[in-house]
Amino acid sequence: MIPPDPHTALQDLRARAERRRLSVAALPAEEAPGMQLLMQELQVHQLELEMQYEELLIAQTEAANSYTQYLDLYDFAPVGYCTLAATGTIEQLNQQTAQLLGATHEQLLGRRLAVFMPLPERTQLAEFLARLQANPGQRFSCEILMHRRDESPFVAQVDGLATTSGLGQELTYRLVLLDVTASREARDELARSEARFRATFEQSRDGMLLLDHHRFVDVNDAALWMLRRTHRQQVVGHHVAEFWPEYQPDGRRSIDLLGHCLTRVPTEGWCRLEWARYDSAGQIVWDEIAFSPILVNGQALVHGTWRDITDLKRMQQAKLDQQQQLAQAVLAAEESEKRRIAESLHNGLAQLLYAAKLSLEQFEAEQCQQDPKVFAQAQLKVANLLASAITQTRTLAHELVPRTLEDFGLEAAIQDICADYSIAPLRLTCHFADVPDGLPSHLTVAIYRMAQELANNIVKHAHATQAKLSLRADGQALELRAEDNGIGFAADSQGKGLGWQALQDRVRLLNGTLQLDSQPGRTCIAISLPLPS
């Protein structure tokens, strides 16, 4: 049944009253005055009763409307409503509260709300209710871990206030329950993420910094140490240019380098800067800072990871210097080898050929032409000179391009070295163990030249009677070892000879190591070279 509209009912009531007034006025004049008065009073009384009845209908309609609104606002609300007695028992609740607790309306009435909480949380609820009781009419809020009837947990946000229904009535608690499990998990995850970032930021051994328009927003302890500052207040809010020199060693302005790098960060997502500053002693310090954009609470900042690369720069410079020294040593060795070849050609082969030329000129002499014996002696002399020249040519060619190495391999070539350098009273022997086949040609040539240089040093400087060259493979390395029983290798003579320097340069070029153990009566030089994978 659709309740009547109260405004329409009042209009109908006024219309009927107006009609009754007109009907009373239309009574016959011959009616006694008393009868007319009585009729008027009866009609007025009837009208009053009808008006009261109509008012009651209107009030009933409004009450029904209010009850419907109450059901919509309370019982079907998307949040949980409940009323607790002073003892903590549930006196009233809506459907959402029943759904949150996983029970029916009838099962929850009269039960204590604390039953749906773990034991540690019940103390929190008691403290919350005590706070409401101490501040009647004031609203307070808290988050409590609760569980449903089936023991599944959830986090509830509880808003409440304490009130009384009237004078002398018991205190009751009106609570609003809202499931905030998802927001709590999101908050906790955000807090854990922020804690991880903060730990990474604070505990990193690299300098960490945040910049906003070239000014420090935050720095970690490592960055403070590199800036030689003790407190963040000495850095935060200051411009970066305050801590670096105005100009770099190459003459460029530091602020220009920084500005150019930071302008690339938003578009490229990353930028790396190497620049220099000076410590308190005036020594140059090289820094590497990698910048990347980040967003913090909606604010665009630049995050920087800062490292001191001074040692790396020095190592790079030392490596460059070493490479230059190696190149100079190679050039010097080449020039020395050229001079040796030139001296060998000039002092040996050229002299023999010149002597042969002079001997050939004797054939034109009258005595040589007339005396067959003189002619035969001159002819023999020329033949001996040419034979010596051929021998020296072959020796020189063998030194330049070892044919034995190309034709018979590394072991045979080193055996030839041992045989050639075994000059009394020295006896030079060879030993080989597990030498792999198929070594790269550049490696075999280098080992051959090293063995040749080691044997040459033994012959020239050791004054030994027993010596040994050994070559063996050990794991991922190839070891060439030279041992003798000579006078030893004087420490102050290291690095003075071109041969010894060339030997060290060859070892470095092949990423090898050289160890020297020398004393009178025993000298051992061990060269270890990495085998190719």
Side-chain angles (χ1 to χ4, degrees):
M1 177 181 178
I2 300 176
D5 182 21
H7 300 288
T8 304
L10 286 175
Q11 290 177 359
D12 292 342
L13 186 60
R14 289 191 184 94
R16 289 200 301 274
E18 183 65 22
R19 287 196 297 271
R20 285 192 175 88
R21 186 184 66 80
L22 293 176
S23 64
V24 171
L27 286 175
E30 61 270 10
E31 291 290 338
M35 181 61 68
Q36 290 182 357
L37 182 59
L38 179 60
M39 288 292 296
Q40 289 178 356
E41 290 178 356
L42 289 174
Q43 289 178 355
V44 170
H45 184 63
Q46 181 181 0
L47 184 59
E48 289 176 353
L49 290 176
E50 290 179 356
M51 291 182 67
Q52 292 176 3
Y53 175 72
E54 294 292 341
E55 289 175 355
L56 287 176
L57 288 178
I58 294 172
Q60 183 180 4
T61 301
E62 292 178 348
N65 292 336
S66 297
Y67 180 73
T68 302
Q69 292 177 359
Y70 166 78
L71 288 179
D72 288 338
L73 294 176
Y74 184 85
D75 205 35
F76 299 107
V79 296
Y81 293 132
C82 66
T83 302
L84 302 186
T87 58
T89 58
I90 301 175
E91 290 185 341
Q92 192 176 6
L93 71 156
N94 67 348
Q95 292 185 11
Q96 185 62 25
T97 301
Q99 291 179 6
L100 283 177
L101 300 179
T104 63
H105 189 278
E106 292 75 13
Q107 291 171 337
L108 295 174
L109 285 176
R111 297 194 66 181
R112 297 176 62 86
L113 184 62
V115 174
F116 297 92
M117 300 176 187
L119 290 176
E121 303 294 327
R122 296 180 185 181
T123 303
Q124 183 181 354
L125 177 64
E127 294 174 352
F128 178 70
L129 295 180
R131 188 180 181 188
L132 295 180
Q133 183 180 3
N135 301 276
Q138 294 188 25
R139 178 179 172 179
F140 296 96
S141 178
C142 70
E143 286 188 2
I144 301 178
L145 178 63
M146 303 182 66
H147 59 76
R148 300 177 179 85
R149 191 179 180 188
D150 60 0
E151 299 298 329
S152 59
F154 69 97
V155 179
Q157 177 181 323
V158 182
D159 293 337
L161 56 84
T163 184
T164 55
S165 301
L167 186 62
Q169 298 292 326
E170 286 190 0
L171 189 71
T172 57
Y173 305 102
R174 296 180 180 176
L175 305 181
V176 178
L177 304 180
L178 183 63
D179 186 351
V180 293
T181 305
S183 60
R184 165 70 77 86
E185 291 176 351
R187 255 193 345 266
D188 291 346
E189 180 58 31
L190 180 61
R192 287 191 292 269
S193 177
E194 290 178 349
R196 288 192 295 267
F197 174 79
R198 176 54 60 179
T200 303
F201 187 87
E202 293 291 345
Q203 301 175 20
S204 174
R205 299 183 66 179
D206 294 330
M208 295 288 177
L209 51 92
L210 292 178
L211 297 180
D212 182 19
H213 297 92
H214 298 188
R215 293 187 178 273
F216 288 103
V217 176
D218 198 2
V219 293
N220 68 346
D221 292 340
L224 285 177
W225 182 85
M226 285 191 280
L227 290 173
R228 301 299 187 266
R229 300 297 190 272
T230 56
H231 302 289
R232 282 182 169 81
Q233 291 78 6
Q234 297 172 311
V235 177
V236 173
H238 291 262
H239 200 281
V240 175
E242 298 179 27
F243 303 93
W244 272 266
E246 183 177 1
Y247 291 96
Q248 290 295 299
D250 59 1
R252 292 183 295 176
R253 296 179 71 240
S254 299
I255 193 64
D256 294 339
L257 287 176
L258 178 65
H260 176 69
C261 185
L262 292 181
T263 55
R264 294 168 51 193
V265 171
T267 56
E268 300 181 13
W270 182 82
C271 183
R272 175 178 169 273
L273 175 64
E274 286 187 9
W275 58 351
R277 56 190 169 89
Y278 298 93
D279 60 14
S280 56
Q283 298 295 321
I284 190 169
V285 177
W286 284 96
D287 297 320
E288 176 194 68
I289 306 180
F291 296 105
S292 58
I294 62 172
L295 198 64
V296 179
N297 296 327
Q299 182 183 9
L301 301 177
V302 175
H303 173 266
T305 302
W306 175 12
R307 292 181 179 178
D308 185 340
I309 59 171
T310 305
D311 292 340
L312 179 61
K313 282 283 190 180
R314 289 172 180 168
M315 291 174 59
Q316 291 175 345
Q317 186 61 43
K319 188 174 182 180
L320 289 175
D321 294 342
Q322 183 182 17
Q323 290 176 348
Q324 291 178 355
Q325 292 175 1
L326 287 175
Q328 292 173 0
V330 170
L331 292 176
E334 289 179 353
E335 291 299 323
S336 175
E337 186 69 11
K338 290 178 182 178
R339 283 196 299 271
R340 187 185 68 82
I341 295 172
E343 291 176 358
S344 179
L345 292 173
H346 179 270
N347 298 330
L349 184 60
Q351 297 299 326
L352 290 173
L353 293 176
Y354 182 70
K357 175 179 179 293
L358 294 178
S359 298
L360 288 174
E361 290 177 351
Q362 292 180 2
F363 286 120
E364 298 178 357
E366 182 178 354
Q367 181 181 3
C368 184
Q369 292 178 359
Q370 294 177 358
D371 190 349
K373 185 177 180 180
V374 175
F375 181 84
Q377 289 177 350
Q379 187 179 24
L380 179 61
K381 185 178 180 180
V382 171
N384 290 334
L385 289 172
L386 292 176
S388 297
I390 292 172
T391 301
Q392 286 197 13
T393 303
R394 288 177 176 174
T395 301
L396 182 60
H398 180 73
E399 290 178 355
L400 294 176
V401 181
R403 300 300 306 175
T404 306
L405 180 63
E406 293 186 357
D407 297 338
F408 302 102
L410 183 60
E411 293 186 16
I414 294 179
Q415 287 175 348
D416 280 357
I417 293 176
C418 293
D420 293 341
Y421 285 87
S422 289
I423 303 173
L426 174 64
R427 183 173 180 269
L428 182 59
T429 60
C430 297
H431 178 71
F432 304 95
D434 303 325
V435 179
D437 297 328
L439 292 175
S441 59
H442 75 280
L443 183 59
T444 58
V445 171
I447 294 173
Y448 175 81
R449 294 302 185 191
M450 292 178 190
Q452 198 174 40
E453 183 61 35
L454 291 173
N456 188 54
N457 286 337
I458 293 173
V459 171
K460 286 185 177 181
H461 308 294
H463 304 291
T465 58
Q466 296 289 333
K468 181 174 71 172
L469 289 178
S470 60
L471 182 66
R472 64 188 182 91
D474 182 13
Q476 300 297 318
L478 194 64
E479 185 183 66
L480 175 63
R481 184 183 294 264
E483 300 174 89
D484 66 74
N485 63 349
I487 62 175
F489 200 114
D492 57 357
S493 66
Q494 296 184 29
K496 292 184 178 179
L498 289 177
W500 177 255
Q501 185 64 42
L503 182 66
Q504 291 178 314
D505 293 340
R506 288 183 186 273
V507 173
R508 281 197 294 266
L509 285 172
L510 294 172
N511 296 320
T513 59
L514 186 149
Q515 294 180 345
L516 172 64
D517 181 13
S518 181
Q519 55 188 351
R522 182 184 180 279
T523 297
C524 178
I525 299 175
I527 298 173
S528 179
L529 303 174
L531 284 172
S533 57

